[in-house]
Amino acid sequence: TINALNFIEVAPGEKKILAAFGDPLAPSWGIFDVVDKVWRPLPDFQNATWGASDEKLIAVVGSGNNLSLVEADLTKTPPAYKTFIKDFRLKSVELSYLPENRLIIAEAAASNYESSIWQLDLKTLTMNLVLAPQKGQFVEWSADRNFGFGWNVRDGFTIITDDFKATLPTVFETLPSKCGSAEGRIYCFVPQSVPETTKLPEDYFMKKFFSIDDLFLIDAETDNTTKLLDGSGLGIDGKSPRALGKKLYFINRYDNYLYELSLD
């Protein structure tokens, strides 16, 4: 039993799960091995994300103001560190690894704060601003890391490629956690309506806002958009869709159960 689960991320090989739990301001971190069914606690971690493999983590480690950005080698006990930045001062950020040694660093999103998103090249240690500050801005990445699903107060919902150079046209408005992609197909749950008094994104994060969703499919090659499911009367507020074969799996925010939908 895990109390106050804050965060999970599945490893690239899908055999391990990185998790943070406890006090959100000072969480404990650990890795759950799906095969062996065992936990491995992680020492002095402040923040983390999976790296290029199941044996690598990109993490912020240390205590107090003495924080470093490192690559942790999990084949060693305790993990061996390769330091990228000795004095890492960015707090309240989300880390995401993209292929070819890129780390995305995103500030926490709020409707009254202009958050920025940077990209750090882990080979050259060059950091670039990839999305200029916008209120409520955040991005979540598809499991295959081919697409980023972004949102901010000014522009609403956008779909971006992993190089941040292009966007896909959309005919609907939704939130990043409601989308996923597989084999060039993008699946999005889309609220039928959003009350004008809703303060996004925090009302969504804090579960003050729930929706009734339709399900849409975008073909990334042709840009064609198809409504797969009309959610009227179904009571689905979907998030984290994941296509496997001819099945789409997702979590319904109303009950937090995992559902399976046939795509035939």
Side-chain angles (χ1 to χ4, degrees):
T1 300
I2 299 297
N3 294 318
L5 183 64
N6 298 325
F7 164 90
I8 67 167
E9 183 182 357
V10 180
E14 301 187 345
K15 298 293 192 297
K16 297 178 181 178
I17 298 171
L18 174 67
F21 44 90
D23 182 356
L25 298 179
S28 299
W29 289 80
I31 294 174
F32 182 71
D33 191 308
V34 177
V35 177
D36 297 334
K37 302 290 191 292
V38 296
W39 279 97
R40 177 181 180 181
L42 296 170
D44 61 16
F45 273 43
Q46 304 294 321
N47 202 345
T49 187
W50 287 105
S53 72
D54 289 19
E55 306 302 335
K56 303 288 186 181
L57 288 175
I58 308 299
V60 178
V61 298
S63 60
N65 293 322
N66 300 317
L67 300 177
S68 300
L69 181 70
V70 305
E71 180 184 69
D73 183 354
L74 300 179
T75 63
K76 311 294 185 182
T77 303
Y81 297 153
K82 172 185 176 182
T83 301
F84 295 120
I85 300 176
K86 287 185 178 181
D87 188 12
F88 188 79
R89 299 191 180 187
L90 294 175
K91 298 182 178 180
S92 295
V93 294
E94 180 177 339
L95 307 178
S96 303
Y97 178 86
L98 295 184
E100 300 178 4
N101 286 303
R102 292 176 294 155
L103 181 69
I104 303 302
I105 304 172
E107 290 184 298
S111 62
N112 61 351
Y113 176 73
E114 292 186 347
S115 52
S116 302
I117 298 180
W118 296 274
Q119 177 176 277
L120 174 65
D121 187 315
L122 296 176
K123 288 185 177 179
T124 65
L125 298 184
T126 301
M127 184 179 288
N128 296 309
L129 183 70
V130 290
L131 290 179
Q134 292 291 339
K135 289 183 177 180
Q137 179 162 255
F138 69 110
V139 175
E140 297 194 11
W141 296 93
S142 60
D144 58 16
R145 291 300 195 260
N146 289 328
F147 299 100
F149 306 109
W151 191 90
N152 64 60
V153 171
R154 187 191 71 178
D155 302 321
F157 176 72
T158 56
I159 300 176
I160 59 178
T161 54
D162 68 346
D163 58 6
F164 292 90
K165 293 181 179 179
T167 60
L168 274 66
T170 58
V171 297
F172 52 75
E173 182 70 18
T174 189
L175 291 165
S177 60
K178 290 180 169 292
C179 295
S181 75
E183 299 179 351
R185 294 183 163 213
I186 297 171
Y187 299 89
C188 287
F189 285 98
V190 178
Q192 293 183 347
S193 63
V194 179
E196 292 184 1
T197 56
T198 303
K199 186 182 292 185
L200 295 176
E202 51 259 51
D203 281 0
Y204 178 79
F205 293 151
M206 298 172 68
K207 294 188 176 181
K208 293 181 179 180
F209 162 68
F210 289 84
S211 60
I212 298 296
D213 293 348
D214 299 329
L215 176 63
F216 284 81
L217 166 66
I218 300 176
D219 187 314
E221 293 186 2
T222 65
D223 294 337
N224 288 337
T225 301
T226 306
K227 182 189 281 191
L228 297 182
L229 181 69
D230 188 313
S232 300
L234 295 181
I236 294 175
D237 183 346
K239 72 171 185 177
S240 305
R242 183 77 178 270
L244 296 172
K246 295 185 177 181
K247 304 288 186 181
L248 184 73
Y249 296 89
F250 65 93
I251 294 172
N252 189 352
R253 293 178 72 236
Y254 283 110
D255 57 19
N256 276 330
Y257 288 173
L258 180 69
Y259 285 77
E260 176 189 275
L261 176 68
S262 173
L263 295 173
D264 285 336

